[in-house]
Amino acid sequence: MKKSIFVKAALVVSLGLSSLGLSAAVQADDDKKYRWKLAETWGPNFPIFGDTTKNMAKMVKEMSNGRLTIRIDSSNKHKSALGIFDFVKSGQYQMGHSASYYWKGKNFNTMFFTTVPFGMIASEQHAWFYYGGGMELMKKVYDQYGIMSFPGGNTGNQMGGWFKKEINSVEDFKGLKMRIPGFAGEVLAKLGAKPTNIPAGELYTALERNTIDALEWVGPSLDLRMGFHKVAPYYYTGWHEPGTELQFMVNEKAYNSLPKDLQKILTVAMKVAAYDMYSQSMHASGVNLASLKKDYPNVQMRSFPKPVMNALMVANDELLKEFAAKDPLTAEILKSLNDYKHQVRAWTNLSDRAYLDNFDAKK
């Protein structure tokens, strides 16, 4: 028993987890071993997203001295990339890793915990989750399904997508078949596009075979390895996912069956792994953007014209009002997001934006 305590204490110090609420003197509640399974949307050895689940499981095993181990099943194993919600709800899997906006067909309130078009950037959104009431609102949505939802790693600001044809006006969205999930898909549908959601492993083939005309995935951090630049030369900057947060899901009954110390270890490991994913995403985007510019100079990086951006913003605002009118909880979530964005954005503008503008002005 003493060995278990000392192992945990050493890991707490080395990982700096005491600030996250895990005491350096954790006492094991029992010696029972718990074996869990996690289903992820991503394929085997998928970079960054898949690294996040592996990092989390490794920390859990080490901090618990092997009392809690988590087996990770990728989409090739469980055969349902977009079935993670049902896996966790039913208890077939104790955990899942995916993105909340994939479940809009089950409950449209889930969309708002991934990202909102023209919403908060990653740092602002993290503050909202942990200090602005976001976690409590997410709990309200997922409690009815017996699922606990936690931030699962942020990609940062995502690119607007790969297009086979240039977008010069709103008319160019008419009939456009595009892979784009979440609320952004609702916005583009309002402007005449035909949004769809396709698992990551099928995206390149769908684009190459003209099943879709355009797609958005993430950004340079993950797009380069997918090969989209080989079939779609126009790469647009983002508007729809300014801070895309993935999601850890935990079956509530399974969580409650764990001893208190293992509950805390699991919670801390998810939080640390999620933060590390954001750092890894930022690093990979910088490295891969440099490679994209050097090795594929024919890729044309564009921003949508101002009239297009204005139309997207108007459609987004109108839809948000329509959704808020449908459900009191939706209205509560959207008010919280909007109010917090206006409050925290004042500081973002005075700090980060001012710094970057001043830096650019001196060039």
Side-chain angles (χ1 to χ4, degrees), residues 115-121 124-125 239-240 242-243 316 341 345:
T115 187
V116 177
F118 304 105
M120 290 185 279
I121 60 175
E124 297 169 335
Q125 187 163 284
W239 59 276
H240 65 305
N316 184 65
K341 182 184 77 170
R345 185 60 55 82

Side-chain angles (χ1 to χ4, degrees), residues 14-25:
S14 65
L15 293 173
L17 297 183
S18 58
S19 63
L20 296 180
L22 186 59
S23 168

Side-chain angles (χ1 to χ4, degrees), residues 85 100 107 109-110 113 128-129 133-150 252 327-334 336:
F85 182 100
S100 189
N107 186 325
N109 284 324
T110 61
F113 299 107
W128 174 72
F129 268 121
M135 292 293 289
E136 291 79 6
L137 288 168
M138 186 159 61
K139 187 176 186 299
K140 283 187 178 182
V141 173
Y142 281 92
D143 267 357
Q144 59 190 299
Y145 304 105
I147 294 173
M148 303 172 71
S149 181
F150 301 86
E252 188 174 11
D327 179 66
L329 182 52
T330 305
E332 183 181 2
I333 294 168
L334 292 178
S336 177

Side-chain angles (χ1 to χ4, degrees), residues 28-46:
D29 290 347
D30 62 41
D31 285 325
K32 180 180 177 181
K33 294 186 182 296
Y34 297 83
R35 300 290 179 260
W36 277 23
K37 296 186 299 179
L38 179 150
E40 60 183 359
T41 289
W42 337 113
N45 299 314
F46 196 85

Side-chain angles (χ1 to χ4, degrees), residues 54-67:
K54 293 181 181 67
N55 289 342
M56 182 276 300
K58 181 180 179 181
M59 281 188 281
V60 166
K61 182 178 180 180
E62 290 177 349
M63 286 191 288
S64 70
N65 200 29
R67 289 167 53 231

Side-chain angles (χ1 to χ4, degrees), residues 74 125 132 221 244 322:
S74 302
Q125 187 163 284
S221 61
T244 306
E322 290 177 16

Side-chain angles (χ1 to χ4, degrees), residues 146-175:
I147 294 173
M148 303 172 71
S149 181
F150 301 86
N154 205 294
T155 66
N157 205 326
Q158 292 200 6
M159 291 291 283
W162 296 89
F163 293 76
K164 289 188 171 182
K165 295 181 179 179
E166 191 174 6
I167 301 296
N168 293 307
S169 69
V170 176
E171 291 299 314
D172 292 326
F173 285 131
K174 303 292 185 182

